[in-house]
Amino acid sequence: MSALDLLSNNDDNGGGLRGLLRRTYAMLAKEFIQLRRDRVSFAMIIAIPVMQLLLFGYAINTNPHNLPTAVLMQEDSDLSRSVLKALQNTAYFKFTRQVHTEQEFDNLFLTGEVLFGVEIPRGFERAVRRGDRPALLVAADATDPVAASSALATLGPIVQTALAHDRVTGEAANPPFEIRAHARYNPAGVSSMNIVPGLVGIILTMTMLIFTALSVTREIERGTMESLLSMPIRPVEVMLGKIIPYVLVGFLQAFLIVALGVGLFGIPIVGSLTLLALLSTLFITANLSIGYTFSTIAQNQLQAMQMSMMFFLPNILLSGFMFPFAGMPTWAQYISEALPLTHFIRIVRAILLKGSTFENLRYDAGALMVLTLLVMVIAVTRFRRTLD
């Protein structure tokens, strides 16, 4: 006898504790049967806590090490190498690039390839031995103040550590050279400079996914999608008609966030808003396509919402919005590179805070374009296959 039959038969059992327990048991059985048949919801029950545990336990690190660092070494001397060795021994700096001009040095920051740069001036060791106390520059990309602050805090004892490996002597109170830390793009380390630009991508991801996933699923549940397709209109045209309004909605949301960020938090606009608008179009289209893909898999609006939140969770944790991207393990960074939000957050921060151009953002713009085309193809394929 099924749970519904049991519940129906209990209508004649009257009151009493026994009747209450039988009816309650029937309802419990019915709910568990429905939950078992709803495979998507059941999978979410298992997947979401497991994903959170794995990401927070293994991928998230608020004190990142081995941060990519460039060196502009205008002098190759024993003392210069001792300084670089002392920096590397802190485990915060990992020298990945060596450049020869200040323009190359600056371009690495604009492209986001490095978070730190060490500039050793020409005649450094000679000036130290003459007692001139020359300065050694350590520049930091402070658009991510969490990653920059911990590393910059280790610069104090590096002078004495470097001198211990060289024949130059110096007292702690009066060292023979100094290290000057320069936090670029956000000298005061204001957290809103980091958060507000990233919110553009976060809000667009959340709203575009949910709006489109629910929009298509709602049409299918009401039976109006079949009516649309019975007309002389192709599925691709239906999709384009639904996507374009949400592109405009996305532009409106992005405009509001940027305008409020400038007006309330003093976020600078150093780069081109036209470039930001063009790349935002790619990002919005990618999220709309992902939302459509979810709508073709989900059987109802609840499942579409669950899928959207399941996708949103790794985006917010792995994209570099909440936690430093450079502090994640390699496997987590590979996953992050497959998320459109990772590239868009780099783009919006670089344009607004650094003034980066398309030439500086070729990698992230190209990756965003590839991901957009890929999810669009998947969305169109799934849309046709589901509705045919």
Side-chain angles (χ1 to χ4, degrees):
M1 181 179 296
S2 67
L4 289 177
D5 293 336
L6 181 60
L7 184 61
S8 177
N9 292 338
N10 280 332
D11 291 342
D12 300 329
N13 290 340
L17 179 60
R18 185 176 181 182
L20 173 64
L21 294 176
R22 288 174 63 87
R23 289 189 293 272
T24 303
Y25 169 76
M27 283 300 302
L28 287 173
K30 169 184 169 296
E31 289 301 316
F32 277 113
I33 291 172
Q34 288 183 339
L35 180 60
R36 184 183 63 185
R37 292 175 178 174
D38 189 353
R39 297 181 179 179
V40 174
S41 298
F42 187 76
M44 296 297 172
I45 293 174
I46 303 299
I48 289 179
V50 171
M51 179 183 294
Q52 286 181 324
L53 178 63
L54 293 177
L55 292 181
F56 278 101
Y58 291 106
I60 304 304
N61 182 10
T62 57
N63 188 23
H65 292 74
N66 297 318
L67 302 171
T69 306
V71 56
L72 175 57
M73 202 167 184
Q74 299 179 350
E75 174 186 279
D76 187 6
S77 62
D78 292 338
L79 182 58
S80 300
R81 288 190 292 270
S82 296
V83 171
L84 296 181
K85 186 65 175 177
L87 287 169
Q88 197 162 7
N89 286 340
T90 64
Y92 283 99
F93 305 93
K94 180 181 179 181
F95 294 99
T96 58
R97 296 290 300 271
Q98 182 171 350
V99 296
H100 304 285
T101 65
E102 291 188 4
Q103 184 178 0
E104 293 179 271
F105 192 74
D106 295 336
N107 283 337
L108 290 176
F109 281 98
L110 291 176
T111 58
E113 292 185 45
V114 299
L115 292 179
F116 294 91
V118 180
E119 182 178 354
I120 299 178
R122 188 174 287 105
F124 175 67
E125 184 170 359
R126 181 183 302 176
V128 169
R129 297 187 184 281
R130 286 203 307 256
D132 294 340
R133 294 193 76 243
L136 183 146
L137 174 66
V138 177
D141 183 349
T143 56
D144 190 348
V146 176
S149 59
S150 299
L152 293 179
T154 66
L155 296 179
I158 284 179
V159 174
Q160 293 301 322
T161 304
L163 296 177
H165 293 82
D166 198 84
R167 289 177 296 177
V168 179
T169 59
E171 299 178 358
N174 188 27
F177 68 94
E178 61 176 323
I179 296 181
R180 293 180 183 173
H182 176 214
R184 294 191 176 190
Y185 316 119
N186 185 12
V190 180
S191 59
S192 60
M193 295 285 188
N194 173 266
I195 294 174
V196 175
L199 278 176
V200 178
I202 291 293
I203 294 176
L204 287 178
T205 298
M206 181 174 60
T207 54
M208 295 300 101
L209 283 176
I210 294 176
F211 286 169
T212 52
L214 295 182
S215 174
V216 177
T217 310
R218 189 183 305 116
E219 295 274 11
I220 296 175
E221 284 186 347
R222 293 176 178 176
T224 54
M225 185 63 72
E226 287 75 7
S227 301
L228 285 174
L229 297 179
S230 65
M231 300 177 182
I233 184 171
R234 291 177 292 182
V236 174
E237 296 168 347
V238 174
M239 290 184 62
L240 291 176
K242 283 186 166 293
I243 283 178
I244 292 175
Y246 290 108
V247 172
L248 300 178
V249 170
F251 276 127
L252 176 60
Q253 290 182 330
F255 172 78
L256 288 175
I257 298 169
V258 173
L260 291 174
V262 173
L264 299 179
F265 301 100
I267 304 299
I269 302 179
V270 183
S272 170
L273 288 178
T274 302
L275 178 61
L276 179 60
L278 292 175
L279 295 179
S280 297
T281 304
L282 285 176
F283 178 68
I284 292 170
T285 306
N287 284 290
L288 291 173
S289 302
I290 293 172
Y292 269 107
T293 304
F294 290 160
S295 70
T296 61
I297 300 173
Q299 298 177 357
N300 51 59
Q301 295 184 55
L302 176 60
Q303 289 184 357
M305 177 71 75
Q306 291 173 333
M307 290 181 182
S308 299
M309 298 310 297
M310 185 72 176
F311 180 76
F312 182 70
L313 178 63
N315 270 271
I316 196 172
L317 294 179
L318 299 180
S319 62
F321 172 72
M322 293 183 63
F323 305 100
F325 179 86
M328 301 177 190
T330 303
W331 62 267
Q333 292 186 11
Y334 281 133
I335 296 175
S336 303
E337 294 290 343
L339 301 174
L341 182 59
T342 301
H343 302 284
F344 184 72
I345 284 182
R346 294 175 187 165
I347 288 171
V348 69
R349 285 175 177 168
I351 292 176
L352 293 181
L353 302 181
K354 302 179 184 180
S356 299
T357 63
F358 183 79
E359 183 70 19
N360 304 131
L361 300 172
R362 284 183 301 173
Y363 168 74
D364 288 305
L368 192 57
M369 185 177 299
V370 170
L371 291 173
T372 301
L373 292 175
L374 180 61
V375 294
M376 282 188 69
V377 170
I378 295 174
V380 171
T381 304
R382 285 288 314 176
F383 191 78
R384 289 179 176 273
R385 187 177 302 169
T386 302
L387 297 177
D388 283 348

